[in-house]
Amino acid sequence: MNYVYLSPHFPPGYYRFCVGLRRAGANVLGLAEAPWDALRPELRDALGEYYRVADMEDYDQLLRALGHFTHRHGRIGGIDSLNEHWLEAEARLRTDFNVDGIRADRIADVKRKSRMKEIYRAAGVPVARGAVARDLAAARALAAEVGFPLVAKPDVGVGASATWRIDGEAELEAFYGRKPPADYILEEYVRGRIVSFDGLADRSGRLVFWTSHVYSQGIMETVNADDHVYYYSLRQVPPDLEEAGRRTVRAFGVRGRFFHLEFFRAEPDDRLVALEVNMRPPGGLTTDMFNYANDIDIYDQWASVVVRDRFDAAWSRPYFCCYAGRKRTKRYARSHEEVLSALRPILVHEEAIDGVFRGAIGDHGYVFRSPREEEILEAARLVHELA
């Protein structure tokens, strides 16, 4: 199989997906802006060919690159980046080169939050009330229906980028006075914790791996307040969450790819409310957390699904696995060295975080695991305790 991988060097840890593809027997064709010499050695070794473009945002350059790959290597069997930013470009390329996967006619389903709501409703999964409000009059009508606070976010957007909480009429007027030209969706503010249903489906849509994560707070709050966050995987996925997750995966027709589905666990009734769908792995170091929580190699297993439609790792979630991020803007009770010493028995990884992601997950991240949830929560408290 000839497999085109867009931006194989970024996010930094995703080179492992290309390594997995090579081990599974694929001819991996890299496409990005970065100079060849800037790629890490393991990535260079995994690539059958690398095509550098001047501007990844210029679709004509991507078309020429795919034409070159087709001329040199034959039919393209797969195109991906596992990166939200490139989903639309991938869909156009799959359409133009007749490659299986999400194509241009379906990309709105997984990019537009308003379209996601329609599919969630059709699947019988509750959603927060809301709609695209293109002007102040429409926004006022929605506020009269659902009340304040409201959350305003781009109908097409990644994570908590350009997302705000609006607490009253004055803030609503101010927002529409400065609103960017893009379509914005306004939703009722749901009080509760964010939980996710994450996993991988094979080519027929059968779930071959799934798990769930609980977040200390929402990414919107984390980014807007420049706060820190922790989140951790559960050893047992709550039955109602698994049911809602499976319904969503079926409704969106997920095949041969990762998914990251976000829900609110609303207060005070503990009901699930769908937030949004992401047709990619969860971000940050979460794919590494899949591995640490289950003693598997998800990079190899994803590649095996893509190339051979086979997932053969045994997994049972023997550990809770947690990520806790720190921000340089905060003064912590313990130094980095003291954290490493205190967490030594359960710490499995730590690293400086690329600046692009620091708003959401911090400047430095720690990953630790334990069979006991209480130990995980105490470790997260230790990392985040302020001076």
Side-chain angles (χ1 to χ4, degrees):
M1 172 191 280
N2 296 311
Y3 200 97
V4 176
Y5 200 104
L6 280 65
S7 185
H9 64 295
F10 189 84
Y14 277 20
Y15 77 91
R16 298 182 181 92
F17 288 115
C18 291
V19 172
L21 283 170
R22 182 63 176 263
R23 283 199 287 250
N27 180 30
V28 190
L29 307 171
L31 172 57
E33 298 174 5
W36 171 256
D37 291 343
L39 307 184
R40 59 189 305 146
E42 302 97 321
L43 177 55
R44 293 201 299 264
D45 290 345
L47 297 178
E49 187 179 358
Y50 181 68
Y51 191 106
R52 185 185 180 193
V53 295
D55 183 2
M56 286 282 287
E57 305 289 348
D58 182 347
Y59 185 70
D60 286 342
Q61 294 186 39
L62 303 186
L63 272 178
R64 288 195 291 272
L66 267 289
H68 167 83
F69 285 146
T70 302
H71 177 74
R72 285 284 306 274
H73 303 279
R75 186 179 184 279
I76 303 300
I79 302 170
D80 219 319
S81 69
L82 304 177
N83 186 332
E84 184 83 21
H85 183 79
W86 303 116
L87 281 179
E88 292 181 78
E90 294 161 13
R92 291 180 67 185
L93 290 170
R94 291 191 197 102
T95 303
D96 289 338
F97 288 86
N98 194 29
V99 176
D100 288 343
I102 298 173
R103 297 193 184 182
D105 61 345
R106 286 194 53 229
I107 193 63
D109 292 351
V110 298
K111 289 292 290 183
R112 290 198 169 274
K113 297 178 178 68
S114 53
R115 179 63 183 139
M116 291 177 197
K117 281 184 180 295
E118 295 174 14
I119 299 175
Y120 269 128
R121 290 190 186 103
V125 179
V127 296
R129 293 175 296 169
V132 173
R134 294 186 171 87
D135 55 35
L136 183 56
R140 283 174 169 153
L142 181 64
E145 178 185 347
V146 305
F148 291 104
L150 295 170
V151 175
K153 51 190 176 183
D155 195 26
V156 177
V158 181
S161 175
T163 299
W164 290 276
R165 171 173 161 160
I166 297 173
D167 286 310
E169 173 68 24
E171 290 184 15
L172 189 66
E173 290 183 11
F175 171 74
Y176 275 88
R178 67 174 189 275
K179 184 181 82 67
D183 280 349
Y184 263 71
I185 188 167
L186 265 61
E187 293 180 341
E188 63 179 324
Y189 182 82
V190 179
R191 290 175 174 82
R193 299 191 76 179
I194 291 180
V195 296
S196 67
F197 185 70
D198 308 309
L200 175 65
D202 68 12
R203 292 185 203 162
S204 66
R206 180 176 66 96
L207 269 60
V208 292
F209 175 79
W210 64 96
T211 188
S212 173
H213 294 85
V214 176
Y215 292 75
S216 61
Q217 66 175 356
I219 299 301
M220 178 183 70
E221 291 82 3
T222 301
V223 171
N224 290 345
D226 197 25
D227 206 350
H228 51 207
V229 69
Y230 73 84
Y231 63 95
Y232 64 100
S233 61
L234 299 176
R235 294 189 61 189
Q236 292 187 328
V237 179
D240 62 339
L241 178 59
E242 182 171 338
E243 172 62 21
R246 287 181 176 274
R247 284 190 182 195
T248 303
V249 167
R250 287 194 298 270
F252 280 85
V254 184
R255 289 179 173 82
R257 62 186 303 115
F258 285 104
F259 54 86
H260 171 56
L261 315 179
E262 298 174 354
F263 298 84
F264 288 110
R265 179 68 77 179
E267 298 172 353
D269 55 7
D270 218 31
R271 64 192 170 95
L272 286 172
V273 178
L275 178 55
E276 65 180 67
V277 164
N278 300 276
M279 290 303 163
R280 55 165 175 80
L285 304 182
T286 315
T287 44
D288 298 308
M289 293 167 64
F290 289 173
N291 291 338
Y292 291 126
N294 294 279
D295 287 326
I296 61 173
D297 189 326
I298 198 66
Y299 304 102
D300 278 354
Q301 292 302 314
W302 168 80
S304 180
V305 166
V306 166
V307 176
R308 299 186 289 260
D309 200 23
R310 189 169 73 237
F311 187 104
D312 51 22
W315 53 278
S316 60
R317 306 192 202 99
Y319 302 101
F320 296 93
C321 189
C322 183
Y323 172 89
R326 281 184 159 190
K327 289 193 169 175
R328 286 192 294 266
T329 50
K330 293 185 177 294
R331 186 164 169 258
Y332 292 97
R334 293 169 183 81
S335 68
H336 170 67
E337 291 72 22
E338 288 171 327
V339 168
L340 296 184
S341 177
L343 297 188
R344 185 173 293 117
I346 61 173
L347 186 71
V348 291
H349 182 76
E350 55 89 12
E351 69 172 64
I353 302 300
D354 188 285
V356 172
F357 307 112
R358 63 91 47 198
I361 64 172
D363 298 292
H364 202 98
Y366 305 86
V367 179
F368 38 94
R369 69 180 187 180
S370 170
R372 296 190 303 110
E373 187 174 20
E374 314 84 70
E375 187 170 24
I376 285 292
L377 294 173
E378 175 57 26
R381 186 198 65 78
L382 182 147
V383 172
H384 281 169
E385 186 177 3
L386 299 177

